Amino acid sequence: MAAPILPPPLPDPQFVLRGTQSAVHSLHFCRGAQGQGHPLLLSGSLSGLVHIWSLQTRRALTTLDGHRGQCVTWLQTLPHGHQLLSQGRDLRLCLWDLAEGRNAVVDSVRLESMGFCRSTVLAGAQPRWMLAMPGRGNDEVEILEMPSKTSVCTLKPEADAKLGMPMCLKLWQADSSPRPRLLAGYEDGSVVLWDVSEGKVCSRVTCHTEPVMGLDFDSQKARGVSGSAEKALAVWSLDEQQSLKACGTHEVTNPGIADVTIRPDRKLLATAGWDHRVRIFHWRTMKPLAVLDFHTATVYCVAFADDGLLASGSGDQRISVWSLYQRT
């Protein structure tokens, strides 16, 4: 009698980072200083601290304290210079100068919304860049040109749209167009494409019955994915007429997807679950590949490095770092 074919064992994390001393709500990989072959990992915690981790020594190099003990919900480095953006529940978005060992807040933007919506940036090689953040009105998104903080526009849905609050944002720009676009997931379960230059809605698709908690977009394939408080991922596409189309949903075992991210090579998708699990999908086919069952509390965030490493941050105060399917 032939032996049963067993599924391959679930991988263990390559390593685990401890020492945040509170829940981890945001993660971001960035390049180290010139001459350093190893990327750095930034984490934002419930206690308002940002830790900068060396993946070589697996220790925190430094800790940034700029959010008055309030949760750090979003982190992003800018491509020009050694600048970091951090968004906190203290209603402040801080710009840090990290060059040559510095760790000073050199500028900040006042946020008008207490919601959970993370900001987003569109930055090229130029010193000017664009910032989208939750606006003053409950349903508004504010677009600023930075670092001058000049208002570009306020994106406000029509009164009868009833989208609710913006929950997640993604600025992007097609290679073939100079016009920036914003994808926004809303409280009513809709994903909306905005033309930032015109300040108007291009298209809207209702993907979920619950608030959209996270989204990501593959501009090369003109295809995106969103997760919500329900137990389904929605995949949608964007046609040449700038119209969003629902492509289908993919159910997961338990409700609550806190974050979604596509790997930079556009081969894998990772999700962060309220059920303590990280799920890995093949991005083109949406075939489930793995369920990473390591954390003991809600996984709030997932992030990919350029070299394919995956990090996940959880309410259990741990950051797990995984090496998965490098040649998928």
Side-chain angles (χ1 to χ4, degrees), residues 115-280:
F116 291 94
C117 185
R118 298 166 175 171
S119 299
T120 178
V121 296
L122 181 63
Q126 294 81 18
R128 291 187 300 172
W129 43 283
M130 187 173 285
L131 169 70
M133 63 185 193
R136 179 174 299 177
N138 222 20
D139 58 355
E140 294 178 358
V141 177
E142 188 70 28
I143 309 289
L144 300 180
E145 184 183 275
M146 299 291 287
S148 66
K149 305 181 192 176
T150 305
S151 178
V152 175
C153 63
T154 300
L155 304 179
K156 183 172 175 60
E158 297 290 335
D160 59 355
K162 297 181 180 176
L163 299 178
M165 291 188 297
M167 303 294 292
C168 47
L169 307 171
K170 176 80 173 181
L171 272 171
W172 63 282
Q173 191 169 338
D175 293 337
S176 58
S177 171
R179 301 171 75 90
R181 300 280 194 264
L182 176 77
L183 284 159
Y186 285 88
E187 195 176 6
D188 77 329
S190 295
V191 173
V192 174
L193 177 69
W194 291 89
D195 183 321
V196 173
S197 303
E198 297 279 338
K200 67 177 186 181
V201 171
C202 299
S203 180
R204 171 188 174 188
V205 61
T206 302
C207 305
H208 304 277
T209 58
E210 297 284 343
V212 183
M213 304 302 293
L215 64 79
D216 204 357
F217 183 66
D218 177 350
S219 59
Q220 291 196 11
K221 292 186 173 72
R223 186 165 167 259
V225 61
S226 52
S228 79
E230 63 197 348
K231 55 180 183 179
L233 283 167
V235 177
W236 29 271
S237 64
L238 183 63
D239 65 20
E240 293 180 356
Q241 284 72 46
Q242 300 297 295
S243 180
L244 291 167
K245 300 276 195 297
C247 299
T249 58
H250 301 266
E251 191 162 304
V252 298
T253 307
N254 300 306
I257 297 169
D259 195 15
V260 297
T261 186
I262 300 167
R263 200 165 76 174
D265 65 3
R266 301 177 304 283
K267 292 184 177 179
L268 296 181
L269 167 73
T271 68
W274 293 358
D275 64 355
H276 314 170
R277 293 168 175 84
V278 175
R279 289 178 168 81
I280 309 297

Side-chain angles (χ1 to χ4, degrees), residues 34-51:
Q34 289 185 353
Q36 248 184 320
H38 297 267
L40 301 174
L41 177 61
L42 312 178
S43 67
S45 69
L46 180 65
S47 62
L49 300 179
V50 176
H51 289 84

